[in-house]
């Protein structure tokens, strides 16, 4: 059984909490793309965790966790994350963590380059998390990146680093006018944070293929959502990786395998961190109320998230891009404060209604078409069955299900592991 857990929207849909919940029945959890720009929040009996690089399955004792070849890994950040988890009593060893030898290393000069470029862009900035993710994916495709497997032959790695730095410093010195990055500093960095990770590094594709062969259940954990995908998202305001489920087998190292299920994680309203067009956006008091109700401040960066009502156009597109076979609708409880709930059911472009997600450049000219449905205005966080839900909440779920055209299986009504229900 191969299942992906993927974002339908702009990210922060609650993927981490759904992976934590659903991984009970899985043997392996794989992160297949992205880096430490992810912030996956999990609240369970072990405590509250915000995971950036580590697959969310690390909190389950029986799950093997894999960091796939599609990822970009900041070594220092990973060390810190592992220390924090260990201090919280989470076991991490070679038996429950495996890092792909083909995963790319996000180096300090990539972080530096990210910051230099965002600063240069000033008011035209992209809203990068400044964690080096864009620059390192760029380096990967330019074939100028170091990979985890190189740590096994450090002398050879150092020689490649030297060549790469010579090239990278052309940009840092000559384009940005900064001091060059010193080779000795980067060697020391790799020695301090890289070499100790060597024991986790292996051919994870081979491991996963054998696991699949034996009938093990494998879950793929995505970062961000369909609308941030490098190809299909709101380019150029996307992430630099493929966030879609079709990429999961590739980014995990088993392109020879097909997914059985794709569980799309979809929020009961909309949020978007950073820049870019966001048609259904609320402003002013309406926005502040929703932001407060949902606690919408970035898990990785603390930035206030932009908010709006549920967006049918974007979400239906997200379901299609993710090939979602079922949906988990999250954070329904957040809407409990409203008497009436707005839903963005279409866009207006040049005086005409459109129902399909347009080419991203056209989004700026799109206006939202809202429809209002009845709210339930009571606490639903203790509901554990569809029958426990107030009629208006049940109707809201069905309304959205019909609008996006994909079965809603799970609904979450609170951030803790047990705060969810399964639809009939
Ligand atoms: P991810 O990046 O998709 O894993 O999502 P984040 O962790 O960045 O954002 C989701 C936020 O919503 C986290 O703070 C979660 O603890 C919280 N959360 C998840 N599910 C629910 C829910 O059903 N209700 C409420 N109120 N909060 C939730
Ligand atoms: Mg997040």
């Amino acid at each position: 059984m191969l299942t992906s857990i993927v974002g339908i929207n702009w990210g922060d849909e609650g993927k981490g909490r759904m992976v934590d919940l659903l991984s009970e029945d899985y043997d392996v959890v794989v992160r297949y793309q992205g880096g430490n720009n992810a912030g996956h929040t999990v609240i369970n009996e072990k405590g509250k965790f915000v995971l950036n690089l580590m697959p969310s399955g690390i909190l389950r004792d029986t799950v093997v966790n894999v960091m796939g070849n599609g990822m970009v890994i900041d070594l220092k950040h990973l060390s810190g994350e592992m220390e924090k988890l260990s201090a919280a009593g989470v076991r991490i060893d070679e038996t429950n963590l495996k890092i792909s030898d083909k995963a790319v290393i996000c180096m300090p000069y990539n972080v530096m380059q990210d910051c230099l470029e965002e600063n240069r862009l000033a008011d035209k900035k992209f809203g990068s998390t400044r964690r080096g993710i864009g620059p390192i994916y760029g380096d990967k495709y330019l074939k100028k990146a170091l990979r985890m497997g190189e740590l096994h032959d450090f002398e050879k790695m150092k020689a490649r680093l030297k060549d790469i730095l010579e090239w990278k410093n052309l940009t840092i010195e000559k384009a940005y006018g900064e001091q060059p990055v010193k080779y000795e500093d980067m060697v020391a960095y790799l020695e301090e944070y890289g070499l100790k990770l060597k024991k986790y590094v292996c051919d994870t594709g081979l491991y996963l293929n054998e696991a699949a062969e034996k009938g093990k259940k494998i879950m793929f954990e995505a970062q961000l959502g369909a609308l941030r995908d490098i190809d299909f998202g709101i380019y150029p305001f996307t992430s630099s990786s493929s966030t879609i489920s079709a990429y999961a087998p590739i980014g995990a190292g088993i392109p020879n395998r097909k997914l059985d299920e794709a569980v799309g994680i979809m929020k009961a309203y909309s949020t978007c961190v950073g820049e870019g067009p966001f048609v259904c956006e609320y402003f002013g008091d309406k926005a502040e109320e929703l932001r407060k109700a949902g606690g919408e401040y970035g898990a990785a960066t603390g930035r206030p998230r932009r908010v709006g009502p549920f967006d049918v156009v974007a979400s239906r597109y997200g379901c299609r891009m993710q090939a979602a076979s079922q949906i988990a609708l999250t954070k329904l409880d957040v809407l409990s404060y409203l008497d009436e709930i707005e839903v963005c059911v279409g866009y207006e472009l040049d005086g005409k209604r459109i129902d399909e997600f347009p080419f991203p450049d056209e989004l700026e000219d799109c206006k939202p078409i809202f429809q209002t449905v009845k709210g339930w205005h009571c606490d639903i966080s203790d509901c554990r069955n569809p029958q426990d839900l107030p009629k208006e909440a049940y109707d809201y779920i069905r309304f959205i299900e019909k609008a996006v055209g994909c079965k809603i299986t799970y609904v979450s009504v609170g951030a803790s592991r047990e705060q969810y229900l399964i639809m009939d």
Side-chain angles (χ1 to χ4, degrees), residues 114-373:
D114 203 354
C115 296
L116 288 170
E117 180 56 13
E118 278 287 288
N119 292 344
R120 187 190 72 82
L121 285 167
D123 58 345
K124 286 187 180 169
K125 66 183 189 297
F126 275 51
S128 160
T129 50
R130 296 173 180 249
R131 297 195 169 184
I133 309 299
I136 186 56
Y137 272 111
D139 285 5
K140 171 178 173 171
Y141 286 98
L142 288 169
K143 294 154 287 180
K144 304 273 194 200
L146 297 167
R147 305 203 291 179
M148 293 301 289
E150 293 181 63
L151 289 164
H152 288 309
D153 188 344
F154 201 52
E155 287 311 308
K156 226 181 192 170
M157 185 181 206
K158 284 196 314 200
R160 267 203 79 223
L161 170 69
K162 200 166 204 151
D163 290 344
I164 289 172
L165 261 190
E166 205 177 289
W167 166 77
K168 183 60 76 181
N169 276 331
L170 291 175
T171 307
I172 290 182
E173 269 187 284
K174 303 219 163 57
Y176 292 105
E178 292 292 319
Q179 290 298 312
V181 175
K182 289 200 185 96
Y183 167 72
E184 295 74 25
D185 291 351
M186 291 303 101
V187 172
Y189 176 87
L190 289 173
E191 272 171 349
E192 182 172 359
Y193 299 108
L195 292 180
K196 68 178 174 198
L197 293 172
K198 238 168 48 174
K199 60 180 178 182
Y200 302 104
V201 178
C202 59
D203 183 345
T204 51
L206 190 61
Y207 167 77
L208 287 170
N209 195 47
E210 280 171 7
E213 198 68 54
K214 287 183 201 144
K216 299 265 185 209
K217 294 178 84 174
I218 301 172
M219 175 175 281
F220 302 86
E221 177 179 13
Q223 180 219 351
L224 287 162
L227 300 164
R228 297 290 191 190
D229 180 81
I230 182 77
D231 288 282
F232 306 110
I234 50 172
Y235 190 89
F237 300 98
T238 56
S239 198
S240 301
S241 63
S242 298
T243 62
I244 51 161
S245 53
Y247 185 74
I250 300 171
I254 41 173
N256 52 318
R257 300 267 166 192
K258 263 204 183 132
L259 291 175
D260 298 295
E261 287 277 343
V263 182
I265 314 301
M266 189 167 85
K267 220 167 183 160
Y269 53 98
S270 302
T271 64
C272 167
V273 186
E275 312 298 318
F278 186 37
V279 177
C280 66
E281 185 165 14
Y282 276 167
F283 300 94
D285 291 348
K286 226 168 159 179
E288 198 44 46
E289 268 185 344
L290 181 52
R291 185 176 301 121
K292 252 181 53 206
E296 295 300 345
Y297 303 89
T301 58
R303 291 185 291 183
R305 294 173 182 153
R306 297 158 72 193
V307 297
F310 186 82
D311 184 329
V312 171
V313 181
S315 302
R316 198 177 43 234
Y317 175 74
C319 288
R320 174 158 64 93
M321 288 302 114
Q322 294 292 19
S325 52
Q326 49 181 315
I327 294 288
L329 186 70
T330 55
K331 303 192 82 164
L332 187 65
D333 56 300
V334 171
L335 300 178
S336 296
Y337 75 98
L338 290 161
D339 289 322
E340 290 187 320
I341 302 173
E342 278 181 323
V343 177
C344 173
V345 290
Y347 296 166
E348 191 189 306
L349 179 64
D350 301 329
K352 287 196 201 91
R353 180 183 169 128
I354 58 167
D355 292 296
E356 294 299 339
F357 199 70
F359 185 66
D361 293 33
E362 291 181 323
L363 287 168
E364 269 174 35
D365 301 319
C366 288
K367 292 192 196 79
I369 300 170
F370 292 129
Q371 184 178 329
T372 303
V373 298

Side-chain angles (χ1 to χ4, degrees), residues 93-113:
D93 57 37
E94 300 96 296
T95 63
N96 73 338
L97 176 67
K98 298 180 190 300
I99 304 175
S100 169
D101 50 3
K102 298 173 193 76
V104 161
I105 300 175
C106 181
M107 291 291 283
Y109 51 77
N110 296 121
V111 179
M112 181 182 176
Q113 209 184 334

